[in-house]
Amino acid sequence: MLPALMLSVTGHAVADSLAQQGRAVFTQEAQPSCTVCHTLSDAGSTGTIGPNLDELKPSEERVRQAVTGGVGIMPAFGESLTKDQIAAVAHYVATVSGAGD
């Protein structure tokens, strides 16, 4: 049986605590918030500065590298987020965007 806490906005059920932590990083903890620049349906974000993550469907590793070191105009968050926060947001984005679908 799946845990009682479950997010299901885009059809991808996010039942694990790591993804729930990653959603908090994506929407609140990262400064600036990832929602400012990125579209991700599960997070309710419609940013247009960075890529649409629903369309890109990046892998966890790709998100981890981008968040840690930055990409293009995206700043690096390796100094402002913990490794655990980065792992959580990478897992969350890959899970809800459908990476590997």
Side-chain angles (χ1 to χ4, degrees):
M1 180 175 245
L2 293 175
L5 292 176
M6 193 165 173
L7 304 172
S8 183
V9 177
T10 63
H12 294 282
V14 180
D16 63 274
S17 63
L18 186 60
Q20 291 172 14
Q21 291 169 15
R23 189 174 199 277
V25 174
F26 191 91
T27 60
Q28 301 167 18
E29 296 171 14
Q31 292 302 314
S33 168
C34 307
T35 62
V36 172
C37 295
H38 295 285
T39 292
L40 186 61
S41 295
D42 186 83
S45 63
T46 56
T48 58
I49 297 168
N52 178 326
L53 299 174
D54 292 318
E55 293 175 1
L56 188 62
K57 299 180 186 328
S59 67
E60 281 189 47
E61 183 57 29
R62 188 169 179 186
V63 175
R64 188 178 298 112
Q65 289 175 355
V67 172
T68 301
V71 174
I73 63 168
M74 177 178 161
F77 289 86
E79 298 289 321
S80 60
L81 295 175
T82 68
K83 287 185 182 201
D84 288 343
Q85 287 174 307
I86 292 171
V89 77
H91 177 73
Y92 168 68
V93 170
T95 300
V96 301
S97 69
D101 278 357

